[in-house]
Amino acid sequence: MKARRRQLMLALPAGLATAADGLPVLAQSPPPSEAVAPALPAVGSPLRLPAVTLVDGSTFVPAQADGQITVLYWWASTCPFCALQSPEMQKLWTVARPRGLRLLALSVDRRPEDATAYLQKKGYTFPAAWVTPEFQRVLPKPRGLPITVVRGRDGRVLQAEKGQMFAEDVEQLVRWLG
């Protein structure tokens, strides 16, 4: 059943998506910045992380990811695919955090208040930040949404995914912990 669902979702024509309620919606035109956004980072390439202030007021510093498996997750409160993947990222965070997984959710909402309100409404506790222009200069968001990138203990990309990851795909991210 899950494999069939994945096949159906991947077969949707360009510009057609489904909202969280399963009804088809016409995708909005991408913002101009999306047209110049880079492709996903290549597996094996180094991935430099900038410092960023989290929505809870604390700061993520790159040294927190040194020697750790770190999942970067770009999302937006208005993205229907992110709305389906974010609960799975919360489950991943809850299960894998005690095993040493680092997670940094990066909101690309137009206003930081939108991201903060959404996180509070949904009860998400994973570390999240709003992507500032300064952050974007150091680590630009790849083209698409949601984006999930796994950074290895050595600072190199282990996995990079564009588009919604299904529950079973997110669960499999723990394999990188060894």
Side-chain angles (χ1 to χ4, degrees), residues 14-28:
L16 184 64
T18 58
D21 59 8
L23 298 174
V25 295
L26 192 58
Q28 298 175 342

Side-chain angles (χ1 to χ4, degrees), residues 135-157:
F135 185 96
Q136 181 73 5
R137 278 192 284 281
V138 176
L139 183 60
K141 182 192 83 59
R143 206 170 16 258
L145 204 60
I147 298 291
T148 306
V149 175
V150 181
R151 182 179 184 262
R153 290 180 175 90
D154 63 356
R156 295 184 179 278
V157 174

Side-chain angles (χ1 to χ4, degrees), residues 3-18 166:
R4 179 69 179 137
R5 178 181 64 168
R6 183 186 321 256
Q7 289 172 341
L8 289 171
M9 290 296 290
L10 293 174
L12 287 174
L16 184 64
T18 58
F166 296 105

Side-chain angles (χ1 to χ4, degrees), residues 26-163:
L26 192 58
Q28 298 175 342
S29 297
S33 61
E34 196 69 10
V36 296
L40 286 172
V43 170
S45 65
L47 189 67
R48 184 171 156 233
L49 301 177
V52 65
T53 301
L54 302 177
V55 296
D56 68 4
S58 64
T59 302
F60 171 86
V61 294
Q64 291 173 300
D66 291 347
Q68 304 294 323
I69 300 297
T70 304
V71 175
L72 302 169
Y73 170 55
W74 280 268
W75 64 280
S77 63
T78 56
C79 167
F81 300 109
C82 302
L84 295 171
Q85 184 172 326
S86 291
E88 301 309 322
M89 299 306 280
Q90 178 64 43
K91 289 177 193 171
L92 175 70
W93 173 243
T94 302
V95 169
R97 177 183 180 195
R99 295 180 53 199
L101 180 84
R102 299 283 187 255
L103 174 66
L104 181 57
L106 300 163
S107 169
V108 295
D109 282 298
R110 294 190 194 280
R111 301 177 323 140
E113 301 84 25
D114 296 337
T116 303
Y118 183 81
L119 292 166
Q120 289 173 348
K121 177 182 173 187
K122 296 293 186 177
Y124 296 140
T125 61
F126 48 70
W130 181 68
V131 175
T132 64
E134 297 78 26
F135 185 96
Q136 181 73 5
R137 278 192 284 281
V138 176
L139 183 60
K141 182 192 83 59
R143 206 170 16 258
L145 204 60
I147 298 291
T148 306
V149 175
V150 181
R151 182 179 184 262
R153 290 180 175 90
D154 63 356
R156 295 184 179 278
V157 174
L158 295 173
Q159 182 177 343
E161 304 289 338
K162 176 172 71 171

